Amino acid sequence: DDVLIRICSIKADQYYSIVDEKQLPATKAMFEEWAVILEGRATMIWSYHSRFTYPFVFFPTMQHWMNDFKIYHKIGCQYLFMQVNHFEENDWKSTMETYVGAKVMWDNRLNPYEVRKEYIDLYYGPLKGLVTEFIDNYEDLFKDLKSREENPNTALQGLDSMVLAKWYPSSFWKKQF
């Protein structure tokens, strides 16, 4: 009774939900197996939904937050730790996603994209259109990249794989800057 069980999705492909058909089989199996063991036990999930701190790289994960949160709740998760990095001044994504995560975990009826829009409106003010376009361009790029056979997979290739030039065509950078 005095034991807190902590499970971590570090080996997951963070683009997909932990139960998505495209998720790595080991990640899906880990959560399915632990769900049986954890029933009725104090549980903490350590996720990497927001751990990307390169200044010009935005790796989208919000598309599956609500699905994962429901799964965490179903398996009895009492504590959720969404790892972020706050050691760099350019960590704009983690700051934004901390705001969004805190609000949607407090009220799971909220839409994380609407909360993100609220944050962008409040934080960036007159620049909100440019910031939204910047993020939308990254989300479109990764939707395209993840549909290809070879694609950036942070679980298999490490976080540094996200900054390889081969994932970012010159046409993408022309839109960004």
Side-chain angles (χ1 to χ4, degrees):
D1 287 346
D2 293 336
V3 176
L4 171 69
I5 299 170
R6 180 175 60 191
I7 58 176
C8 178
S9 61
I10 191 169
K11 295 293 184 183
D13 183 333
Q14 303 299 331
Y15 186 78
Y16 300 111
S17 170
I18 57 173
V19 295
D20 190 286
E21 64 184 29
K22 295 178 182 174
Q23 184 55 263
L24 300 172
T27 298
K28 287 173 62 173
M30 178 185 76
F31 276 92
E32 290 167 1
E33 292 165 9
W34 274 105
V36 174
I37 298 167
L38 295 173
E39 191 173 335
R41 292 186 164 81
T43 306
M44 175 185 167
I45 305 288
W46 183 329
S47 81
Y48 290 87
H49 286 100
S50 187
R51 189 179 170 268
F52 302 96
T53 58
Y54 296 103
F56 297 113
V57 174
F58 177 90
F59 184 75
T61 62
M62 204 175 290
Q63 66 275 7
H64 62 76
W65 280 18
M66 299 313 286
N67 188 44
D68 282 358
F69 293 168
K70 288 175 188 171
I71 294 163
Y72 298 158
H73 179 74
K74 184 178 177 182
I75 66 173
C77 176
Q78 295 173 331
Y79 310 98
L80 176 59
F81 175 72
M82 294 175 66
Q83 181 167 333
V84 297
N85 295 321
H86 285 290
F87 56 83
E88 295 185 33
E89 291 183 21
N90 64 13
D91 196 6
W92 62 276
K93 182 178 185 282
S94 292
T95 303
M96 175 180 65
E97 290 188 349
T98 297
Y99 179 89
V100 175
K103 289 194 85 163
V104 299
M105 283 188 280
W106 188 260
D107 182 355
N108 65 8
R109 296 169 299 174
L110 295 174
N111 178 323
Y113 290 100
E114 289 299 317
V115 176
R116 181 174 75 185
K117 180 185 178 311
E118 171 188 284
Y119 175 87
I120 292 169
D121 290 352
L122 292 169
Y123 193 84
Y124 292 101
L127 297 175
K128 64 186 176 189
L130 292 172
V131 173
T132 300
E133 182 181 356
F134 181 83
I135 291 170
D136 288 348
N137 288 341
Y138 271 106
E139 288 184 339
D140 291 345
L141 173 71
F142 274 92
K143 192 179 294 182
D144 176 59
L145 287 174
K146 295 304 270 186
S147 71
R148 301 178 192 176
E149 190 168 321
E150 181 193 18
N151 64 68
N153 182 322
T154 59
L156 301 177
Q157 301 160 342
L159 290 174
D160 290 336
S161 69
M162 300 307 306
V163 296
L164 296 176
K166 69 180 183 175
W167 304 127
Y168 303 95
S170 61
S171 59
F172 170 77
W173 290 117
K174 288 176 184 173
K175 283 195 300 188
Q176 291 301 73
F177 300 103

